[in-house]
Amino acid sequence: TEKCFGLSAETLVDRAVELRSYGGCTGGFQNPTPFICLILKMLEIQPDKDIVVEFIKNEEFRYVRLLGAFYMRLVGTALEIYQYLEPLFDDYRKVRFKDMSGTTHLKHVDEFIDELLTEERVCNIILPRIPKRHVLENIGDLKPRVSALEDLDDLFPEEGAGEEKVEGGANGVDAEPEAAPAKPPKRGDRGDGGDRRGQERPRRADGDRRRDEDDGERRRSGGRER
């Protein structure tokens, strides 16, 4: 636009501070957004690397940071891109994005950085190809990236130990295995009932003998009386 006319590396910051959204070309006529106009102006004047780095490190103005990150992605080397853009994953502030139809969407700074590192086209501009991060790690140019989520393990060091104790039993002692339930006796087996029946049989035999002896004595006593 006409606002970019006559800009220099020193006066570029004044226009960058006025940004309220980012995007490529929008509307029916695909008009360029002020964000993409400033990107093209930066490609024209080619500001020093120190100025671009200051744009990226700017924490007060979100769109100034996006402007510097996008320009670094276009002209920087693979090592510079990963070095200066990956720390911005910790920036979760909201930003406005205008799509090709002119509709405004809410996104976050870290989403924009992820698109710059993973997508082939951002804001209607095809990005230069860069090697994947794991390739640079394998050849020793980059160190493995440390995620911010790994700090959570230091906050809960005893959580895993507590879970192991619960699984083992109370107070960390392994619980004794439960005894298997007793099987019901089969019909052919003789349990306590069979023993009782065996004990009752001799008792009945003794009672029958006593009855026979009593009957014999009665008969004898009856014969004597006659």
Side-chain angles (χ1 to χ4, degrees):
T1 61
E2 62 276 2
K3 292 184 179 181
C4 295
F5 180 77
L7 287 180
S8 62
E10 291 76 14
T11 59
L12 184 66
V13 184
D14 299 334
R15 296 302 179 190
V17 171
E18 297 175 357
L19 292 174
R20 295 295 178 266
S21 64
Y22 80 95
C25 297
T26 61
F29 296 100
Q30 293 297 291
N31 296 322
T33 60
F35 178 84
I36 208 67
C37 289
L38 288 178
I39 289 292
L40 297 177
K41 190 64 178 181
M42 293 177 68
L43 292 173
E44 179 184 348
I45 62 180
Q46 296 181 2
D48 295 336
K49 178 183 175 182
D50 297 336
I51 297 177
V52 179
V53 172
E54 290 300 323
F55 277 26
I56 296 174
K57 293 182 179 180
N58 191 302
E59 298 181 356
E60 184 178 359
F61 300 99
R62 295 165 286 180
Y63 299 101
V64 173
R65 169 169 282 186
L66 299 186
L67 195 70
F70 197 95
Y71 182 79
M72 178 63 73
R73 177 64 177 85
L74 293 175
V75 302
T77 62
L79 294 178
E80 291 175 343
I81 291 171
Y82 286 109
Q83 177 184 356
Y84 291 109
L85 266 61
E86 283 186 341
L88 303 185
F89 278 128
D90 297 334
D91 192 345
Y92 309 113
R93 289 178 295 178
K94 296 180 180 179
V95 289
R96 298 182 183 90
F97 167 71
K98 285 189 176 182
D99 58 14
M100 297 180 62
S101 63
T103 305
T104 302
H105 305 274
L106 275 180
K107 287 192 174 184
H108 299 81
V109 175
D110 61 321
E111 292 183 61
F112 179 72
I113 300 302
D114 183 69
E115 292 175 358
L116 291 178
L117 296 178
T118 58
E119 301 294 337
E120 296 182 356
R121 181 190 296 265
V122 177
C123 294
N124 307 113
I125 294 181
I126 298 178
L127 303 176
R129 294 186 177 180
I130 57 175
K132 299 294 184 181
R133 198 186 200 287
H134 66 86
V135 176
L136 298 177
E137 290 181 3
N138 293 336
I139 62 179
D141 289 344
L142 278 179
K143 296 181 180 179
R145 180 173 176 267
V146 179
S147 175
L149 297 178
E150 294 184 2
D151 297 337
L152 297 178
D153 298 337
D154 299 335
L155 298 178
F156 307 100
E158 300 179 356
E159 184 176 357
E163 293 178 356
E164 294 179 357
K165 291 182 180 181
V166 173
E167 293 178 358
N171 298 327
V173 180
D174 295 339
E176 296 181 357
E178 297 181 358
K183 296 182 179 180
K186 297 181 180 180
R187 295 181 178 179
D189 298 341
R190 290 184 178 180
D192 297 338
D195 296 339
R196 292 177 181 176
R197 292 175 183 174
Q199 294 176 0
E200 291 177 356
R201 288 178 181 176
R203 293 179 181 177
R204 292 180 180 177
D206 295 340
D208 295 340
R209 291 177 183 175
R210 291 177 181 176
R211 290 178 183 176
D212 295 340
E213 292 177 358
D214 294 341
D215 293 340
E217 291 179 357
R218 290 176 183 175
R219 290 176 182 176
R220 292 175 185 175
S221 60
R224 293 173 182 177
E225 292 178 356
R226 289 179 183 176

